[in-house]
Amino acid sequence: MATNEAFSAAINARLDAAFARYPAAPPLTELRQEIAGNLLAAVQDLAASGATPEAAVAQAWQEFGDIAGLIADVAKDAGVAKRSHADSTTPQAVAAKAAAAQAKATAAKAKAEAARAKAEAAARRREAGTADTMTITTGKSTTTIDVSDTGNHRVIINGDLTGLNVTGKLPEAATEAPAHELRRELTGITKLLLDYASDDVTLVPTAGSELIVRETFINGRPDYAGSLTVDGDTVVVKAGKRPKSFLRLAIGGKRMGFWSTIEVAVPAQFTGSLQASVTSGTLVAKDLQQHVALMLSTQDGSLTGTNLKLSAFTGSTQDGRVSLTSSDIDAVAVTTADGSVRLQEVRSQRLTAHSGDGRVTLDQVRVAGELRATSDDGPLSLTTVSAPALTAATSDGRITASDLGGAGSLRSADGSIDAAWTAVTGDLAAVTSSGRIRLQLPATPGYAFALSTGDGHLHGPQAATLTRDSAHHQAGNVGTPAYTVTAKTGDGSVTLN
Amino acid sequence: MATLAKDVMRGYLDAIVLNVLRRGESYGYQVTKDINAAAHGAYTINEATLYTVFKRLEKGGCISGRWGDESQGGRRKYYAITASGQALLAAERANWTLAQQTLEELINGD
């Protein structure tokens, strides 16, 4: 990636040419600085959106407008005369020519300097085990990693090490450091905060009343060790230092680069609030069974809960999957801005599951109260789900549901709805702006239905007594109605049986 | 897309630039971006034109400039609206309202 020094050198070369015929009077040097600063800002913008450095400089220069005219105007206002070619023999002209040559040489030197600085930086990165790009070939696959920017890279390559071929220097192989341990008696503590960075954190239970945090680092340093502080009834565990940027690699189970694993053993006697957050990494909670409100959050990484029995579980990630399995939790609220949500074998009093961009899957989920499963952009899939107040809604995607129990509504702004109910306890609705609707209902009890479509066929149940039957609307009863069914699509057929 | 002729816009450039700086100090490239984004393609200003507006306004005491502390090569000159600039903008806005009403009557009137 081109550096600002390289951009500036290219900009200066063009400015040298444009200013070559003017002396270095203050209004002009100021003008030059101002143009240079603005051009650099434009070039950075253009380069960030993918233009090559040369193309970015050329485009920025062209879009700036009439630079020659601008210089001429400013020179005229300042009373600075432009040097003409004719008087190139005057002493002033000779001196100016020498100055211009020197400026050119300075620009060339700056350019060379920038190139050297870039090469040195690359060399430093190579020494640090983070070359600009790496290509890793194993028996089956080739992976190329761009590690030129600063940032954290995590690459997992499955497969064995046979046929391993790497260009670019691999990070240091694993040197297992002894685990660092933090311990604290939690009697009288009602709030536990875990604040980690680019770490994988796992929460597990432990007997007794002592909190144990085990930090394991591969290629770690002493100052990576975390800290524990107590403030009244609150315990805060904070991550220590972390490398500014790192590459972590796992090839066939062999780990290289910086890795950290944090295991938090939560005493079974602890009750209250437990919050764990990481900036970039996975968060896992398993087997915790106590009166605890657990809150997990990460900006970049997945969240997983398994075999939990808690009073509340809140999970949120900006970018990653969320899954909760085999758990019994009074209140569940999980959300991801970008990723899928999967709940399996979950029992709850009230539950919300949301994805900003991804699929939401509920499998064997039983909720005693309100259940909301929503996606801003993705399909919803429900299998063996029961709730007396179900809302499944997506802004863009299909809804597929089978073995549903309870009552509620299924809504899509753009997608088909396909749902089979095995037990109905209240009114049902299925609404989509565009797509077909197919609903299957149990034989008993009876119900009243109203179907409508903006454009499509309506197929009511065989045994129905119709009260209304037109091109776009059909209504009627099956048996003695115990609940109502409404199905409505803007465009598509509706089938009810 | 239809675009506005440059000479239609010329008389309003001071007001346009002051209205951008009213939201906070800024520098050339950013101001062109703000103006071009707000005009949705119907008008584009380049930095060379903007520079002459900056100089005119600075000379008249309507804006004041200061050098930013960016590292070498990328130093930007930031401009901020002054009290006189605020007054000029208010006057320009009143002028514009009058022009708008008058032209509406003259061009579209029965």
Side-chain angles (χ1 to χ4, degrees):
Chain A
M1 203 176 112
T3 59
N4 284 341
E5 287 82 8
F7 290 147
S8 289
I11 290 167
N12 277 322
R14 280 171 182 261
L15 289 173
D16 282 341
F19 280 89
R21 292 170 68 193
Y22 295 90
L28 288 171
T29 51
E30 274 218 5
L31 171 66
R32 180 178 168 143
Q33 272 204 2
E34 192 168 355
I35 296 177
N38 285 316
L39 282 173
L40 182 62
V43 166
Q44 285 164 341
D45 248 17
L46 292 164
S49 59
T52 65
E54 298 75 31
V57 171
Q59 191 180 339
W61 185 270
Q62 192 261 321
E63 286 177 353
F64 195 98
D66 185 5
I67 291 180
L70 186 58
I71 298 170
D73 287 349
V74 171
K76 202 174 140 198
D77 277 0
V80 179
K82 179 173 162 182
R83 291 192 299 266
S84 75
H85 294 296
D87 60 358
S88 60
T89 52
T90 63
Q92 295 95 321
V94 172
K97 203 171 173 185
Q102 203 193 339
K104 202 172 167 187
T106 309
K109 202 175 148 196
K111 201 172 172 181
E113 187 72 13
R116 200 177 56 80
K118 193 184 169 189
E120 270 182 8
R124 271 199 302 279
R125 282 198 297 273
R126 269 195 297 282
E127 269 168 36
T130 50
D132 273 357
T133 60
M134 294 185 61
T135 307
I136 300 166
T137 311
T138 61
K140 284 178 193 146
S141 68
T142 299
T143 307
T144 303
I145 314 154
D146 176 9
V147 289
S148 56
D149 58 341
T150 53
N152 302 330
H153 299 271
R154 176 196 299 245
V155 180
I156 315 273
I157 297 168
N158 295 318
D160 56 32
L161 292 168
T162 15
L164 174 66
N165 182 26
V166 177
T167 68
K169 194 183 160 204
L170 277 175
E172 268 175 273
T175 56
E176 190 82 45
H180 172 247
E181 221 173 66
L182 296 162
R183 284 171 177 265
R184 179 67 162 79
E185 183 71 27
L186 286 194
T187 309
I189 298 295
T190 58
K191 197 167 181 187
L192 177 54
L193 304 177
L194 305 164
D195 189 2
Y196 275 90
S198 43
D199 305 293
D200 293 340
V201 178
T202 304
L203 310 177
V204 292
T206 179
S209 59
E210 194 182 35
L211 169 78
I212 307 164
V213 179
R214 261 182 225 99
E215 302 182 313
T216 317
F217 301 110
I218 292 175
N219 297 325
R221 298 196 326 211
D223 57 355
Y224 291 174
S227 62
L228 187 151
T229 52
V230 184
D231 179 13
D233 58 357
T234 304
V235 164
V236 181
V237 177
K238 261 184 144 59
K241 282 207 159 156
R242 291 291 178 266
K244 262 209 183 87
S245 71
F246 58 82
L247 170 66
R248 56 177 63 159
L249 270 178
I251 305 175
K254 191 175 155 68
R255 289 178 159 192
M256 281 160 267
F258 170 74
W259 288 79
S260 58
T261 312
I262 315 297
E263 190 189 80
V264 181
V266 181
Q269 291 173 14
F270 173 73
T271 59
S273 147
L274 169 50
Q275 297 182 17
S277 68
V278 300
T279 49
S280 166
T282 60
L283 266 170
V284 177
K286 54 186 180 190
D287 306 327
L288 297 177
Q289 313 220 329
Q290 55 213 108
H291 194 74
V292 157
L294 176 63
M295 191 184 284
L296 305 180
S297 68
T298 166
Q299 283 161 31
D300 182 6
S302 65
L303 302 176
T304 309
T306 311
N307 193 28
L308 303 174
K309 195 167 191 310
L310 303 168
S311 55
F313 177 85
T314 310
S316 72
T317 167
Q318 291 303 307
D319 188 0
R321 284 179 292 108
V322 177
S323 83
L324 180 62
T325 313
S326 305
S327 293
D328 186 346
I329 297 161
D330 291 350
V332 176
V334 289
T335 175
T336 170
D338 187 2
S340 62
V341 176
R342 183 177 180 84
L343 306 181
Q344 191 170 19
E345 287 180 50
V346 174
R347 293 177 66 141
S348 180
Q349 301 299 311
R350 56 187 182 283
L351 183 150
T352 66
H354 175 76
S355 169
D357 187 2
R359 170 185 288 273
V360 176
T361 306
L362 273 56
D363 182 11
Q364 300 164 69
V365 172
R366 188 190 291 186
V367 180
E370 196 182 358
L371 190 173
R372 290 181 61 84
T374 54
S375 174
D376 290 337
D377 187 5
L380 306 177
S381 169
L382 286 67
T383 311
T384 314
V385 171
S386 74
L390 163 71
T391 306
T394 169
S395 302
D396 189 4
R398 57 182 299 172
I399 301 176
T400 318
S402 63
D403 193 16
L404 289 181
S409 66
L410 311 171
R411 289 172 197 276
S412 172
D414 187 7
S416 62
I417 299 175
D418 208 324
W421 296 78
T422 43
V424 180
T425 58
D427 296 346
L428 305 181
V431 180
T432 174
S433 303
S434 176
R436 90 183 138 65
I437 299 177
R438 269 208 319 235
L439 300 177
Q440 277 181 46
L441 300 173
T444 54
Y447 54 89
F449 65 90
L451 315 179
S452 72
T453 174
D455 184 13
H457 294 287
L458 299 173
H459 308 283
Q462 300 265 321
T465 314
L466 293 182
T467 54
R468 181 176 182 192
D469 192 10
S470 70
H472 297 299
H473 298 275
Q474 196 177 87
N477 300 318
V478 172
T480 309
Y483 62 95
T484 67
V485 181
T486 314
K488 185 176 176 181
T489 172
D491 184 8
S493 64
V494 180
T495 308
L496 175 61
N497 55 36
Chain B
M1 160 179 261
T3 55
L4 292 163
K6 301 275 177 207
D7 57 352
V8 171
M9 302 300 285
R10 193 164 298 136
Y12 302 103
L13 286 177
D14 288 359
I16 292 167
V17 171
L18 288 172
N19 192 37
V20 172
L21 296 179
R22 181 185 54 86
R23 294 167 214 143
E25 69 165 14
S26 190
Y27 62 99
Y29 175 62
Q30 185 60 48
V31 172
T32 58
K33 276 212 304 191
D34 289 348
I35 292 175
N36 295 340
H40 301 296
Y43 172 68
T44 53
I45 188 171
N46 67 39
E47 285 161 83
T49 305
L50 178 65
Y51 185 88
T52 60
V53 181
F54 275 162
K55 286 301 121 184
R56 183 165 65 232
L57 290 170
E58 195 178 28
K59 223 175 190 174
C62 295
I63 61 174
S64 60
R66 66 160 184 96
W67 286 100
D69 48 14
E70 290 80 16
S71 61
Q72 193 117 48
R75 280 186 87 199
R76 296 169 184 164
K77 195 165 182 188
Y78 290 86
Y79 295 93
I81 191 166
T82 63
S84 329
Q86 299 276 10
L88 178 63
L89 178 59
E92 287 288 337
R93 284 178 169 179
N95 277 343
W96 165 243
T97 306
L98 179 65
Q100 201 181 12
Q101 287 164 354
T102 310
L103 287 169
E104 172 62 27
E105 187 59 38
L106 293 176
I107 295 173
N108 286 333
D110 298 322

